[in-house]
Amino acid sequence: MAKFILFPKNFLWGAATSAYQVEGGNINNDWYFWGNEKKTPSRCAKAVDSYNRFEEDFDLAGQLGHNAQRISLEWSRIEPQENQFNQEEIEHYRKVLLSLKARGIKAVLTLHHFTNPLWFYSDGCWLNPRSVSRFAEYVNRVSKEFYGLADYWITINEPLVYVYNSYLRGAWPPGEKSISKVLAVIANMARAHLSAYKIIHNNCQNVSVSIAKHIRIFSPCQGLGLGLNALSAYLRNQVFNYRLLEFLAKKKSLDFIGVNYYGRDFVKFSSKDFFGRDCYCSRHQLRRNSLGWYVFPEGLLKILMRLKKFNLPLMITENGTSEKEDYLYEKYLRQHLFYLARALGQGVDIIGYLWWSLIDNFEWDKGFGAKFGLIGVDRDLNRSIKPFALAYKDICLNNKLEYA
Ligand code: BGC
């Protein structure tokens, strides 16, 4: 007989997207500029045209039994020039949020998901100390405008991933590779979150505010130099996974923790880099997804148990994969939910689970090759529900996971 696990009442079930990755037509931010410089395999251009088709997308989310949807606002639409707000775009996002509400889907609203308005980008971006007050102005405006339309607010998505790709790896705009800049940007983003947290609470009642924190499992490669490999893995774990959360929690600026979890990295020491380098040697027997990422469902349990000490509700604000075959998505989904349920069983307060992503979309420096969506999109941008999304639907509607 199949066994099953029931999830808590009012558990949030849904998916996540970000504005630039799905909307299309964004021509006033750093990623548009980056695409024009041919630094991505393809331009984002129309993306999947969700700017115009959001009703259709949310209809599908509703049909899939979702009661929550994470979206982001595109700052460059709302404030195309410093201190000049575009009311038409604000009204557009009001419609987007109202259309979720009309479908009984709770909005989880992200204010910064990797993209920056060009005016902000060209004037030092997050290195400029004024970035903090600039972000605050934007947050002040949107939290007044969208009062009552979102229960959960995420100020900044994955600050460390942003900083790693944009200021250390040089793969995202502005393409920098500098440790001192990394530190300056993290400090400004942390300050920006602290002030945004206060502003949102001043302007809105009964909302929960957080960041979405990407957390990975870092394991030392068991090969040569195990001790040093372990040291690099430990450093990554401290610096990349937990330092910022500890700082923000100490400042009492998190009402819950948004957790983005994808998998595991193996780390090999490198004399050129404190944090070592990723290792893909044949010792590691774990399955890899179509992007080459190691799939490690138990890692979700480990992370959730570690986060328990914060004594804050946790929401999985992203978890997902890109695969070549449908059954692998379903397997990934079920295995991760199984470990999430184990964490619930051990007393971790988890309030929701959002799959990345609702729909296939633009995957940053990888272009359109990655397919994370519950909904597929063809060349004419017609939508179709993927088979594994129906398995997820069953789980969402019954609030229950069956397993063998
Ligand atoms: C980001 C998304 C991205 C996803 C898959 C997350 O780190 O927030 O924007 O598409 O990972 O790579």
Side-chain angles (χ1 to χ4, degrees), residues 21 113-114 157-158 161 214 260 262 293 318 356 361 363-364 372:
Q21 292 177 272
H113 197 121
F114 299 154
N157 179 64
E158 302 187 338
V161 171
H214 190 117
N260 294 358
Y262 287 86
W293 302 353
E318 287 182 28
W356 181 271
N361 59 48
E363 177 59 24
W364 309 113
F372 284 90

Side-chain angles (χ1 to χ4, degrees), residues 289-301:
N289 74 4
S290 75
L291 299 172
W293 302 353
Y294 286 109
V295 173
F296 187 49
E298 302 92 301
L300 183 58
L301 173 62

